[in-house]
Amino acid sequence: MNANDLYKSFDAIDDDTLLKSESRKKGGMSAARWISLAAAAIILGIGVFAIAHFAKQPDDNHYMLVPTPEPTQQVSPAPFETVRPTQDITETVPPTDPAVVTMHFSSERAALLSATHAMIRGESVEDIPLTPNGSGVYFGLDGGALVAYAEAELIEEPGNVRYELSSPVASFPYELGLRARRSVSDYIRRNLEPGFSGDDELQLFGFIGENYIIFTGEPFHGYQAAAIFCTPDGSQWTEFGAFEGHPAELTGGAVLSENEGYLCYFDRSLMRFEDYTPRRLTVYRTNDGGKTWEDIGLTIPEEFEGIIAPPAAALSPYFEGDHGIIPVMYSTFNSFTAGFDSHTAYFETNDGGESWVFRLPTVVSPA
Amino acid sequence: MTDERIIELYFSRDETAISETSLKYGAYCFSVANNILDNRDDSEECVNSTWFKAWNAMPPTRPNVLKLFLARITRSLAFTRYTERAALKRGGGQAALVLDELSECIGDGDAATEAELNELRKAVAAFVKTLPERERDVLVRRCFYTESIQSIAKRYGISGSGVMSALSRARKKLREYLMKEGFIDERK
């Protein structure tokens, strides 16, 4: 007997087992445990952070940011405007070695930022093909710094899966990366895999803002946990709040002050249920520094019933004073191509997030 | 159109059965074939052959789940095509990787006889049921549907390395199971 025989034998698997494998599973763990899992890093990044060293404080959660004249690593700042908006999976690169498969990921952060800035000013936006969680960045601990990259290559070869990162957009203290890894790994141990020991190999993703980073790891069965760090005055990085028990994949977030923050989630697993409505978005808000989080109940108006198709997702909020927006990526079915087109809309608040109104921007075609 | 209605069309020898099947399951069967063959033309040919085989099989066969009935036909046709291509050194796609992985479990002996293959089928079907849910699903997607690691990772929302480790555990258990059942000589 040989491998061909064994491969053929898999056609004897019963229908029930095959059908069960078609749907998204949550493994053998309780929903509550999955809910609190692994991580998505979201961000509204603006510009490039200055490279800095910092000294660890006695308190394990605090770091002192100490600017130095000579950075430990010169990271070429790539202004976000130069990052081309793309789908999150842009292409599968034909491998030269048939045993190696490569997938390319490109952050949509630049496109989202561009659209966000236009929408909050009431300007027209390009109808860009955003995806629910494609606006994050990929973190690497390289050359003495925590570096955020816009591009990632997932390389799969027998016995080895790894990421190769490129197009750096921002740099942060190295120690912050170690702390984030530990924090996300601890989260995985608490909530998903008690025996998890991959701290050193953990690939971090996330969302970056002017004074915060939301870290995450890869989703586990569609659920991600966040580890949020912020530096309100630019001198110390502190961990913001506790995030046990939030559902699904992170698609955005923001820390607005030492008390106020938002996290946006998207639950792909709901898409298999017939009563799933893509009009309902999942956005949590905290007003107590992340101790408690409340779903603010954003729902796209009823007139979109039957027009909006999954996926629809809330992306990273952006505020200028009390005026703020939460960009929304939504899809419609294209009967001509038998595929889905993605569009951009937003919820707007003029009272600091107490009430929200759904708006459609004026859309122009991409150049 | 419902599966029941499509099956009735086959039983009443109505040729619209094929167009309805193609409309509903053409893309699905194509993906089953293309995972194995990684070639559009060959995969389309397998899908067309699937309709022909289904037409000949129904009646008398009345599938419990039409989609899986078709998938098994397509998978078998595609794998036959794959082995023919491999003989011509034109192998490729995910099938080469899956076969390489499965060779860890069973070695590289002579092809099984029909009787041996039937016993092996029963053993594999029984073994899969013993696995934990996560390992079972991942193994089924990899070894029945011949899906890539990335595709499985995306389907279940887990990392590529998580899929690899689940597969590795499942294969180790499969080897032990086949050894216990006498399909593999323990000394090998």
Side-chain angles (χ1 to χ4, degrees):
Chain A
M1 290 187 195
N2 53 38
N4 284 15
D5 298 324
L6 189 52
Y7 179 83
K8 287 179 197 167
S9 299
F10 275 84
D11 70 4
I13 294 171
D14 64 88
D15 289 355
D16 189 44
T17 302
L18 293 176
L19 286 174
K20 280 180 182 169
S21 80
E22 302 234 326
S23 56
R24 180 178 291 279
K25 293 296 193 308
K26 293 178 183 170
M29 307 187 99
S30 68
R33 295 189 73 180
W34 285 111
I35 276 168
S36 44
L37 265 200
I42 296 176
I43 301 151
L44 277 187
I46 299 178
V48 178
F49 266 52
I51 296 175
H53 295 299
F54 65 94
K56 193 175 178 183
Q57 297 299 292
D59 179 343
D60 206 30
N61 282 340
H62 292 71
Y63 300 86
M64 180 68 75
L65 191 66
V66 183
T68 56
E70 295 297 325
T72 54
Q73 185 206 26
Q74 187 64 47
V75 176
S76 307
F80 58 77
E81 291 81 2
T82 65
V83 181
R84 293 186 62 77
T86 57
Q87 302 270 358
D88 64 342
I89 299 174
T90 54
E91 59 182 323
T92 298
V93 180
T96 44
D97 178 348
V100 179
V101 180
T102 304
M103 291 182 78
H104 182 77
F105 299 85
S106 181
S107 176
E108 298 157 352
R109 175 171 160 267
L112 175 61
L113 282 170
S114 172
T116 299
H117 294 160
M119 286 186 289
I120 200 165
R121 292 175 176 83
E123 297 167 357
S124 58
V125 299
E126 288 186 359
D127 205 9
I128 47 179
L130 290 172
T131 51
N133 50 5
S135 62
V137 289
Y138 314 87
F139 289 105
L141 280 164
D142 306 319
L146 170 68
V147 183
Y149 294 90
E151 310 277 334
E153 209 84 43
L154 175 64
I155 298 171
E156 177 197 329
E157 54 194 14
N160 184 22
V161 177
R162 68 181 192 281
Y163 284 92
E164 286 188 0
L165 309 174
S166 56
S167 304
V169 293
S171 171
F172 306 93
Y174 183 83
E175 292 298 325
L176 179 61
L178 295 181
R179 178 75 184 97
R181 253 189 192 169
R182 195 158 70 242
S183 194
V184 173
S185 297
D186 285 346
Y187 203 104
I188 292 171
R189 277 187 283 274
R190 284 198 307 275
N191 298 287
L192 181 66
E193 302 261 3
F196 179 76
S197 59
D199 303 34
D200 293 341
E201 292 83 36
L202 188 67
Q203 173 62 52
L204 292 173
F205 307 93
F207 300 81
I208 54 175
E210 197 166 10
N211 55 2
Y212 64 88
I213 305 179
I214 304 174
F215 290 99
T216 186
E218 293 190 56
F220 284 79
H221 289 248
Y223 293 89
Q224 293 182 304
I228 303 180
F229 288 81
C230 61
T231 174
D233 59 2
S235 64
Q236 288 185 328
W237 285 93
T238 56
E239 194 153 5
F240 182 91
F243 304 96
E244 315 287 341
H246 291 290
E249 296 175 40
L250 269 169
T251 52
V255 177
L256 306 180
S257 68
E258 61 184 12
N259 289 321
E260 190 178 7
Y262 287 83
L263 286 174
C264 307
Y265 287 89
F266 171 59
D267 192 348
R268 290 174 194 274
S269 68
L270 294 177
M271 288 167 59
R272 64 194 167 100
F273 296 112
E274 287 180 1
D275 59 354
Y276 167 63
T277 168
R279 292 196 298 117
R280 180 76 170 82
L281 304 171
T282 307
V283 177
Y284 285 90
R285 180 188 183 195
T286 180
N287 279 314
D288 57 11
K291 293 187 185 72
T292 60
W293 294 81
E294 185 182 3
D295 188 339
I296 63 174
L298 290 187
T299 302
I300 297 172
E302 198 170 354
E303 56 260 37
F304 284 83
E305 187 72 52
I307 298 173
I308 300 270
L315 308 174
S316 294
Y318 179 69
F319 277 78
E320 291 180 353
D322 281 345
H323 183 202
I325 62 166
I326 296 177
V328 173
M329 171 257 141
Y330 70 96
S331 305
T332 55
F333 183 69
N334 183 330
S335 57
F336 182 71
T337 62
F340 294 93
D341 296 333
S342 73
H343 309 283
T344 312
Y346 60 99
F347 279 91
E348 182 174 36
T349 180
N350 283 301
D351 55 13
E354 296 307 311
S355 60
W356 294 89
V357 178
F358 184 71
R359 307 252 187 236
L360 286 177
T362 306
V363 173
V364 295
S365 297
Chain B
M1 187 178 284
T2 65
D3 286 358
E4 291 73 20
R5 180 74 190 114
I6 293 173
I7 291 169
E8 284 311 317
L9 290 175
Y10 279 102
F11 272 72
S12 59
R13 310 312 288 162
D14 184 336
E15 291 183 8
T16 58
I18 292 176
S19 57
E20 290 295 335
T21 308
S22 176
L23 189 65
K24 190 168 183 181
Y25 293 119
Y28 173 76
C29 289
F30 178 84
S31 71
V32 169
N34 203 47
N35 283 346
I36 297 169
L37 295 166
D38 194 25
N39 179 290
R40 186 180 185 85
D41 292 342
D42 285 355
S43 299
E44 283 176 351
E45 210 170 301
C46 280
V47 172
N48 288 332
S49 299
T50 299
W51 310 151
F52 178 71
K53 286 228 171 198
W55 178 258
N56 286 337
M58 293 183 284
T61 306
R62 187 176 286 275
N64 288 325
V65 181
L66 179 60
K67 178 167 78 167
L68 299 177
F69 174 75
L70 298 168
R72 286 190 176 92
I73 295 174
T74 307
R75 182 178 183 272
S76 172
L77 289 167
F79 189 62
T80 301
R81 173 64 60 93
Y82 171 82
T83 51
E84 289 166 359
R85 282 194 343 191
L88 297 172
K89 308 293 185 195
R90 289 172 54 218
Q94 288 296 314
L97 294 173
V98 175
L99 289 172
D100 188 48
E101 291 161 9
L102 287 176
S103 66
E104 294 171 14
C105 303
I106 201 164
D108 190 23
D110 295 333
T113 64
E114 196 57 38
E116 288 171 335
L117 198 54
N118 282 337
E119 291 305 310
L120 187 59
R121 282 196 168 101
K122 287 179 197 165
V124 167
F127 163 75
V128 167
K129 287 179 178 298
T130 67
L131 289 174
E133 188 179 26
R134 179 168 166 177
E135 286 175 28
R136 183 173 66 227
D137 288 343
V138 167
L139 188 71
V140 165
R141 298 316 299 184
R142 185 67 169 160
C143 295
F144 181 85
Y145 289 100
T146 329
E147 285 186 357
S148 68
I149 300 293
Q150 293 101 326
S151 171
I152 298 169
K154 201 172 174 73
R155 173 181 294 278
Y156 296 123
I158 54 180
S159 65
S161 52
V163 172
M164 298 276 283
S165 62
L167 278 173
S168 175
R169 285 194 299 274
R171 286 198 302 270
K172 183 166 180 279
K173 290 175 185 174
L174 176 57
R175 178 174 172 78
E176 287 165 359
Y177 186 88
L178 293 176
M179 204 174 276
K180 184 170 126 268
E181 296 295 313
F183 289 94
I184 307 174
D185 187 337
E186 289 188 37
R187 291 164 300 184
K188 287 185 181 174

